[in-house]
Amino acid sequence: GTSLLSLSLLGVYGLPPLMSLSMYKVGNEGFQLGGLINYLKAEKVLWNYALPLVGIGAVAAFIGGNIVLSVDETLLSKIIGLALFLFVPLSVFNPKLGIVARTVGIKSKTIGYCLYFLSSIWGSSFAIGAGLFNMINQTYFFGMTLLQVKGTAKIPGAVKSIIVLILFAHAGIVNWQLSLIFLVGMFLGSLLGTVYTIRIGDTWLRYFLLVTVFVLSIKLIFGY
């Protein structure tokens, strides 16, 4: 995912983990906005889901941003990694998952919202793996296609990053000069990247997602 690549690259430059995470949160605002422009044009944003996810994500972001220093990151990484790993056989045996939009019931949506709340706490704390986990959650429990998930996620994603960023700024760990450069880069990358994502469609995106999920799950479980 984007967070894994971004945080890994920032770590190469010797930045402290929390500063790297704060830079990613600033850059993520550009990433969400750049992608949202194209997903709105392609009508891939489901507003009936986006607005509830904003409220749930905001609460989760506040919790996650406050506990980032107190949670056992290693244990949670393994839990998220295992959940991601289980998605691979789930998707293989359900080839329409994420490709064809489905109508789901209240029970399914309730489970999806609960899982989104938990994954948003994780994402607001350590970021890695949360986006992929949410894609799994929303295709399965909300019946969305992959492109609908990516489009709908942009709005609550931007709100969550702002809340965490406020907490980090209050703690004095944000390097604004570097972060704003990172924001411009992620905005341009997202703006260009979503053009190709929409063009290749849900089917090819599913294959890419399967490979990415498998590799990331192994990394999180075994710490490679």
Side-chain angles (χ1 to χ4, degrees):
T2 306
S3 57
L4 175 62
L5 180 60
S6 300
L7 293 173
S8 297
L9 289 174
L10 290 172
V12 169
Y13 290 96
L15 296 174
L18 278 178
M19 182 175 291
S20 296
L21 187 58
S22 68
M23 284 183 63
Y24 170 74
K25 293 300 180 183
V26 176
N28 193 49
E29 291 302 312
F31 178 76
Q32 303 293 357
L33 179 59
L36 181 62
I37 293 172
N38 288 321
Y39 284 123
L40 284 173
K41 291 180 180 179
E43 298 182 348
K44 297 297 182 181
V45 178
L46 302 183
W47 292 101
N48 58 316
Y49 284 110
L51 297 180
L53 291 176
V54 166
I56 295 172
V59 176
F62 181 79
I63 296 173
N66 277 291
I67 65 175
V68 67
L69 297 176
S70 60
V71 174
D72 186 347
E73 182 178 357
T74 302
L75 176 60
L76 286 178
S77 291
K78 295 183 184 300
I79 293 174
I80 294 293
L82 180 60
L84 292 173
F85 184 79
L86 293 176
F87 170 72
V88 177
L90 176 67
S91 182
V92 169
F93 289 112
N94 189 354
K96 292 185 178 181
L97 185 64
I99 307 300
V100 179
R102 297 176 294 111
T103 301
V104 297
I106 295 178
K107 181 179 179 180
S108 181
K109 292 179 182 179
T110 301
I111 295 174
Y113 283 129
C114 291
L115 291 177
Y116 180 79
F117 177 73
L118 295 175
S119 65
S120 293
I121 293 177
W122 164 262
S124 299
S125 301
F126 305 108
I128 295 175
L132 290 175
F133 186 86
N134 282 331
M135 291 186 72
I136 298 168
N137 174 38
Q138 288 167 232
T139 55
Y140 190 82
F141 289 106
F142 293 156
M144 298 183 188
T145 68
L146 291 172
L147 287 177
Q148 288 174 340
V149 172
K150 292 178 72 64
T152 305
K154 295 300 179 184
I155 299 173
V159 172
K160 288 188 291 184
S161 287
I162 290 175
I163 292 174
V164 176
L165 185 57
I166 292 173
L167 295 174
F168 284 2
H170 181 70
I173 59 173
V174 181
N175 184 319
W176 289 106
Q177 184 176 1
L178 293 177
S179 297
L180 291 175
I181 296 173
F182 200 58
L183 182 148
V184 173
M186 291 193 73
F187 172 80
L188 295 175
S190 180
L191 191 64
L192 294 174
T194 49
V195 172
Y196 293 101
T197 300
I198 294 171
R199 186 177 300 173
I200 65 176
D202 291 297
T203 301
W204 283 102
L205 186 60
R206 175 176 177 270
Y207 295 140
F208 179 78
L209 176 65
L210 283 173
V211 175
T212 306
V213 165
F214 179 77
V215 174
L216 180 58
S217 65
I218 296 300
K219 175 178 176 59
L220 291 174
I221 293 172
F222 297 102
Y224 292 151

